[in-house]
Amino acid sequence: MPHLVANFLRTSSGNISHIKKSAISRSRTTSRNNSRNNSFSASPYASDSEDHACASHSVKMPDLADAMKKHRLSLHFGRSSNAPSSSSSPSSSSPHAPVAMDWSIESPPIVFYGSPAESTGALVSGLLYIDVNEDAVEVDSFTASLSIHATQKKPFQSHCPDCHTKVTDLRSWQFLAHPTSLRRGRHQFPFSTLLDGSLPASMDSPLVSFSYQFKAEAVAVRAPSPAPAASASAASSTSASRLPVRFERTLRVKRSLPEPLYPHHSVRVFPPTNIKASAHYTAVIHPSGSNSVTLKLDGLMTHNEKVKTVDLWKLKKVTWKLEETIKTTASPCDRHAPASSADDPSDPGRAGLVRTETRLLGEKQLHDGWKSDYSGNDGTVDLEFDYTVNQLRAHGKEPRYACDLRAHDGTDVSHALHIELIVSKEFAPEGKTHLATQTGTGRILRMHFAVNLTEYPGLGVSWDNEAPPVYQDVPPSPPGYPAEPPIEYDDLEELDALRAVSAPGSRRHSESGRST
């Protein structure tokens, strides 16, 4: 039979025309042999060309039919078979799985409002669903956990998974502590937790990444299916199968810093010249927004009283750059820690390697767009421009920027706006600045301002501002009335008599009695 498989593979490696020709020639040879009613013995190593060349090397037809029946499955290359595979097992993704798992998040997007020192955290709440597709399934255990994964892109030891990723468990839930039978249908299990505001937000950078992983696992037990009496011995050897169903999702955690009421004001002086730069900019910026900078230059003109001329500094070019600096520490695991600091976690030798990288998020050059005024005693230039983050999300990929972050493990992400001004010195007669002549002297004025890149807060607010007040937080109630003794009233009959006497009708009656 080896020659049949070899011939099949050799024929399949050719083109379609060659396969058709081989099939036609084989059918003609077979029909010719049947008409002659001759049988020849063939060598097991005969090639396909020899079978076509000489009929004496053909195989007996009964032997060929028997060989095809025995080895029929071996010739089904690349074809699907209806027979079930012994290695296949039901899973949560299969439509015939006994148990499937899903979830729904009921809380708003996870956003830390404020700095890590001021933020009260964010609430995470939702429902886990177990869909039972059979009449009844017994679940041994059902647990879930939420953890933060800190992954170093350039770890202390490149081939060590412990140096590469450090996992910190934040919360765990045990929904079913003992075996429980669940009927057909959907069963829900609520979960909730409060993430501390000092935790880092989700990020992905060339050096380090932080991600929040939610994992749930349920272990279902499927009882063996009843078998007929003929196969009772085989059924007795089959025990109940344990089917673990796993569910994993990634939570996106953001941080939003409040915007200041007024723009930040900064003043720079560039000695030995008299140039002074005054900048107004927003210290908190957003990645998808446009941020403006107002710049004013003073001291651009100097008077020379002796020669009756003035020196002018004229702005020629403005360049702004938005840079991001990422600094992290790749700490070693317990196995790769230095021998001197293996027993002392506070040893500086366990601090690891410091990684730093700076990348450019946006850049632009301006050659015009400002207003110059040299008519007074002091020349001025007024300029206003916008700067943005150019490395935004595209085609479903992660954004190529990271918001400001400061984690407990030493990871620090900061941003800075760099402004570069090129000025050229010229001189002109006093009162005739339009006749300025270049002197060939120029200077580069550089400034950088620290800015905080953060996400938009949207319409959400912190969870502590949304929650209703508790009993201890209720302000004092309105002032109460002082406790006074009750008013003592006289006898009602005496009061009625006094009221009758004081009435006008009774007074007239008494007066008429006196007159008579």
Side-chain angles (χ1 to χ4, degrees):
M1 194 59 197
H3 65 283
L4 295 178
V5 178
N7 294 341
F8 179 81
L9 296 175
R10 186 182 299 110
T11 305
S12 300
S13 62
N15 52 19
I16 301 300
S17 60
H18 179 68
I19 294 174
K20 290 183 178 180
K21 291 180 181 179
S22 301
I24 294 173
S25 61
R26 285 182 179 179
S27 62
R28 290 177 180 177
T29 304
T30 303
S31 61
R32 191 183 303 113
N33 292 338
N34 291 336
S35 62
R36 294 178 181 178
N37 195 15
N38 295 328
S39 61
F40 300 92
S41 62
S43 173
Y45 303 100
S47 62
D48 186 63
S49 60
E50 293 175 354
D51 292 341
H52 290 287
C54 181
S56 62
H57 295 282
S58 61
V59 184
K60 293 181 180 181
M61 294 307 297
D63 297 340
L64 179 60
D66 296 340
M68 292 295 294
K69 290 180 180 179
K70 292 181 181 179
H71 302 276
R72 182 172 297 173
L73 294 178
S74 64
L75 299 178
H76 287 274
F77 294 102
R79 297 180 182 178
S80 60
S81 177
N82 296 329
S85 176
S86 59
S87 61
S88 62
S89 60
S91 61
S92 60
S93 61
S94 175
H96 303 289
V99 176
M101 197 179 300
D102 198 1
W103 78 337
S104 65
I105 297 295
E106 298 177 341
S107 57
I110 308 174
V111 180
F112 296 147
Y113 295 96
S115 62
E118 301 174 354
S119 177
T120 55
L123 288 173
V124 181
S125 62
L127 295 173
L128 271 174
Y129 301 106
I130 290 184
D131 297 326
V132 180
N133 301 323
E134 296 183 353
D135 293 338
V137 173
E138 185 176 357
V139 179
D140 273 359
S141 62
F142 183 25
T143 58
S145 63
L146 178 62
S147 59
I148 180 173
H149 293 236
T151 304
Q152 296 286 339
K153 304 297 182 64
K154 299 179 181 179
F156 187 88
Q157 189 70 24
S158 59
H159 301 289
C160 177
D162 295 334
C163 294
H164 185 264
T165 303
K166 290 180 173 56
V167 181
T168 303
D169 295 331
L170 301 178
R171 179 68 189 276
S172 60
W173 298 269
Q174 189 174 10
F175 301 109
L176 297 178
H178 52 82
T180 306
S181 180
L182 301 180
R183 297 183 178 274
R184 181 187 296 272
R186 168 163 286 194
H187 305 267
Q188 62 183 12
F189 301 85
F191 66 92
S192 63
T193 184
L194 173 63
L195 296 181
D196 190 18
S198 61
L199 294 174
S202 302
M203 66 164 292
D204 188 10
S205 66
L207 294 182
V208 64
S209 65
F210 291 96
S211 62
Y212 290 80
Q213 302 292 334
F214 182 88
K215 298 182 180 180
E217 181 177 4
V219 179
V221 179
R222 170 186 281 181
S225 58
S231 59
S233 59
S236 61
S237 61
T238 304
S239 60
S241 59
R242 297 173 60 88
L243 304 174
V245 181
R246 296 179 177 86
F247 181 83
E248 297 184 7
R249 289 294 186 273
T250 301
L251 295 176
R252 177 72 174 173
V253 179
K254 301 179 181 180
R255 182 177 297 278
S256 179
L257 299 178
E259 298 183 9
L261 296 177
Y262 304 100
H264 190 76
H265 183 209
S266 179
V267 178
R268 298 287 192 273
V269 180
F270 302 94
T273 64
N274 297 327
I275 301 177
K276 181 179 66 175
S278 177
H280 291 80
Y281 64 95
T282 304
V284 177
I285 63 176
H286 303 285
S288 58
S290 180
N291 312 283
S292 62
V293 175
T294 302
L295 193 64
K296 184 176 182 179
L297 301 180
D298 297 329
L300 300 179
M301 186 169 58
T302 305
H303 296 268
N304 300 322
E305 298 294 341
K306 296 182 179 180
V307 294
K308 301 297 182 179
T309 59
V310 292
D311 295 334
L312 309 175
W313 291 99
K314 291 192 176 182
L315 184 60
K316 299 297 183 181
K317 181 181 176 182
V318 178
T319 304
W320 64 262
K321 298 180 182 179
L322 183 60
E323 292 185 352
E324 178 181 274
T325 303
I326 306 170
K327 181 180 179 181
T328 184
T329 303
S331 303
C333 64
D334 295 337
R335 292 184 301 168
H336 296 97
S340 60
S341 60
D343 301 332
D344 188 6
S346 61
D347 193 342
R350 295 179 60 92
L353 303 176
V354 178
R355 313 287 193 185
T356 305
E357 181 170 334
T358 301
R359 56 180 177 176
L360 190 64
L361 301 184
E363 180 184 13
K364 190 175 183 180
Q365 297 180 357
L366 305 176
H367 298 275
D368 54 9
W370 51 83
K371 181 180 179 181
S372 304
D373 184 11
Y374 297 97
S375 59
N377 295 329
D378 192 7
T380 59
V381 170
D382 295 324
L383 170 65
E384 184 176 358
F385 61 90
D386 296 336
Y387 66 98
T388 58
V389 178
N390 297 334
Q391 307 296 337
L392 295 179
R393 187 193 304 267
H395 304 292
K397 299 181 180 179
E398 290 297 325
R400 294 184 56 189
Y401 68 88
C403 294
D404 276 63
L405 181 141
R406 186 167 296 176
H408 296 296
D409 61 351
T411 302
D412 186 17
V413 180
S414 60
H415 298 81
L417 175 64
H418 296 262
I419 301 178
E420 184 177 277
L421 309 175
I422 298 180
V423 294
S424 176
K425 188 176 183 180
E426 302 178 1
F427 72 95
E430 190 172 357
K432 299 179 181 180
T433 56
H434 61 282
L435 301 177
T437 304
Q438 296 185 0
T439 61
T441 303
R443 288 187 178 276
I444 300 177
L445 312 180
R446 294 186 176 92
M447 299 173 288
H448 71 277
F449 308 103
V451 294
N452 294 322
L453 183 64
T454 183
E455 298 286 351
Y456 275 110
L459 300 178
V461 295
S462 181
W463 68 273
D464 53 342
N465 294 329
E466 289 183 347
V470 296
Y471 182 78
Q472 291 83 358
D473 296 338
V474 175
S477 58
Y481 296 98
E484 297 180 354
I487 302 176
E488 296 181 359
Y489 295 99
D490 297 335
D491 190 5
L492 295 179
E493 295 180 359
E494 296 179 357
L495 293 176
D496 292 340
L498 293 175
R499 184 180 299 106
V501 171
S502 61
S506 61
R507 188 177 297 118
R508 288 195 299 269
H509 177 73
S510 59
E511 291 177 355
S512 62
R514 292 192 195 100
S515 61
T516 56

